[in-house]
Amino acid sequence: MTRPHIEPYCELNERWKKFDLRGFPRGSEYKVLSMDRDTGACSLKMRLKPGYRRPPGLSYSDIELFVLNGDLTIGERSYGEGQYIFQPAGLVMGAMASAKGCELLAYYNEGWPTFEESKESHSLALQQAYVNVNAYRDAPWIGVARRQPGVATGCLVKVLRIDPVTKATTFLYSMTAQYYQDNISYHDCCEESYHIWGTSWMLQFGDLPTGGYFWRPPYINHGAFASRYGCIALGRTDSELFNYFHFNPWTNPDENQRRAVAVLYRERPELWKWVRTEGHNHPHGPDDFESPEYREAARHLHAHGYDLHSHEHDPGEPHSHESD
Ligand SMILES: [Fe+2]
């Protein structure tokens, strides 16, 4: 996922726009939180107006939905705030409706938002990946200390989904009132958050209030952290989140990346060796004199009187084949 660094941002004062993309029914609005301009993958805040209806259908991108408030019916089931759904690409979603209207976070992970009316799933849809859980009621809070000095006590998460291949993770997190953490962290992954309620503070970016949002590329310092009255937010990463901690606020992302490589060198030296040499080791095959390109060039030169394999002549001096 390549998106620009957006931080801090608050969407509450931005205006809603009509969501009139091809294929989608009318009656919804959106705000773009972030977007990958190469693929169209995006994070949106959406509003379905009272009486909204959409027939059953599917998308060509994985979708994640989180209900912020209001009512949302999908198929036979009705949901309220805190409902989280991971809808794999191609898996048919039942008819969607909202009687009183609702606000959602909607994430299209692979490409532009798409909707195709259908009552059947695509044959390649990964049905097993479907997740449907109420994040407020149906998932436990857990502590997130990862090594010491780790995340300070008082920051809790509810893991909603982990991609089995990439380890991309979607989670609810909460900081307690008077939360404080004095160290600085960065990751190998992109990190994204939407503040459902409350304000948190970071040394580099100041206050992030209700409606606050960030998309943070890898290796960017963030922390120390604090929250006076607590906060609750929906977070996402695009791969495994491993916290590198330190206390130097002046390092840049390149330095942090090199420091992360040093950690890899200490902990997994064989992998480090492979990463270091792969792709720029001694050339074999295509770059050797045995390559088809070289042989063709040698044949061409030979036909014009040069012989790259002769030691009896200066390779730059033309000579006839018969003289060898
Ligand atoms: Fe982080």
Side-chain angles (χ1 to χ4, degrees):
M1 288 191 268
T2 53
R3 306 188 199 188
H5 185 194
I6 297 170
E7 184 171 21
Y9 172 70
C10 182
E11 57 83 15
L12 291 185
N13 297 324
E14 303 294 327
R15 70 181 179 88
W16 291 98
K17 298 176 185 175
K18 280 186 184 168
F19 193 73
D20 54 3
L21 272 60
R22 192 168 160 220
F24 288 87
R26 296 182 179 197
S28 66
E29 297 173 311
Y30 76 100
K31 300 177 186 182
V32 171
L33 301 174
S34 66
M35 178 174 281
D36 183 324
R37 290 185 183 167
D38 294 332
T39 66
C42 54
S43 300
L44 308 176
K45 185 174 181 183
M46 295 204 64
R47 182 162 73 179
L48 308 187
K49 293 183 177 177
Y52 179 86
R53 301 187 77 81
R54 191 177 86 174
L58 54 83
S59 172
Y60 290 99
S61 170
D62 290 344
I63 304 170
E64 294 179 72
L65 294 177
F66 185 87
V67 180
L68 292 166
N69 55 60
D71 67 282
L72 178 68
T73 297
I74 299 175
E76 302 294 312
R77 296 176 64 186
S78 292
Y79 307 109
E81 63 175 14
Q83 197 71 30
Y84 168 78
I85 295 170
F86 178 84
Q87 186 80 18
L91 183 66
V92 73
M93 181 180 277
M96 184 183 277
S98 181
K100 297 179 180 175
C102 63
E103 290 187 331
L104 308 164
L105 297 174
Y107 305 92
Y108 287 83
N109 291 344
E110 278 78 39
W112 305 106
T114 49
F115 177 73
E116 187 172 305
E117 191 173 336
S118 174
K119 290 182 177 168
E120 293 182 9
S121 298
H122 191 281
S123 60
L124 297 177
L126 193 61
Q127 297 199 22
Q128 302 91 325
Y130 176 73
V131 177
N132 189 346
V133 64
N134 187 284
Y136 295 161
R137 292 198 310 266
D138 301 335
W141 288 113
I142 56 173
V144 290
R146 296 182 191 208
R147 302 193 187 187
Q148 298 300 330
V151 176
T153 55
C155 183
L156 302 166
V157 302
K158 295 186 180 206
V159 177
L160 304 177
R161 174 184 177 264
I162 299 177
D163 187 289
V165 176
T166 66
K167 309 298 183 208
T169 305
T170 302
F171 54 98
L172 207 63
Y173 69 92
S174 178
M175 295 176 183
T176 58
Q178 296 300 339
Y179 177 78
Y180 183 65
Q181 179 174 329
D182 64 356
N183 57 20
I184 297 164
S185 63
Y186 57 87
H187 320 291
D188 306 298
C189 60
C190 295
E191 192 173 34
E192 177 182 24
S193 170
Y194 179 85
H195 259 218
I196 298 166
W197 181 88
T199 299
S200 68
W201 170 89
M202 256 177 295
L203 175 70
Q204 297 81 1
F205 308 110
D207 283 337
L208 195 69
T210 299
Y213 174 83
F214 63 78
W215 175 277
R216 185 186 300 135
Y219 302 113
I220 291 174
N221 280 336
H222 51 290
F225 311 88
S227 182
R228 191 173 185 185
Y229 299 117
C231 66
I232 186 165
L234 189 72
R236 300 201 316 153
T237 66
D238 66 346
S239 56
E240 186 170 25
L241 190 161
F242 177 82
N243 278 314
Y244 299 92
F245 290 115
H246 65 124
F247 289 93
N248 180 359
W250 307 112
T251 61
N252 62 41
D254 286 344
E255 291 165 329
N256 288 347
Q257 191 173 32
R258 284 199 289 276
R259 188 168 171 269
V261 171
V263 172
L264 182 68
Y265 172 69
R266 286 198 303 275
E267 297 186 351
R268 302 180 72 180
E270 291 306 313
L271 177 59
W272 178 84
K273 269 189 236 170
W274 185 86
V275 169
R276 186 165 174 269
T277 56
E278 197 271 334
H280 43 89
N281 206 331
H282 186 277
H284 293 289
D287 293 324
D288 206 321
F289 297 126
E290 295 170 350
S291 71
E293 292 82 3
Y294 180 82
R295 288 180 175 214
E296 178 58 31
R299 251 197 306 275
H300 178 78
L301 290 170
H302 188 79
H304 288 82
Y306 295 86
D307 190 342
L308 299 182
H309 290 287
S310 171
H311 295 283
E312 297 174 13
H313 305 277
D314 182 334
E317 286 292 320
H319 65 283
S320 72
H321 182 64
E322 288 72 29
S323 67
D324 285 338

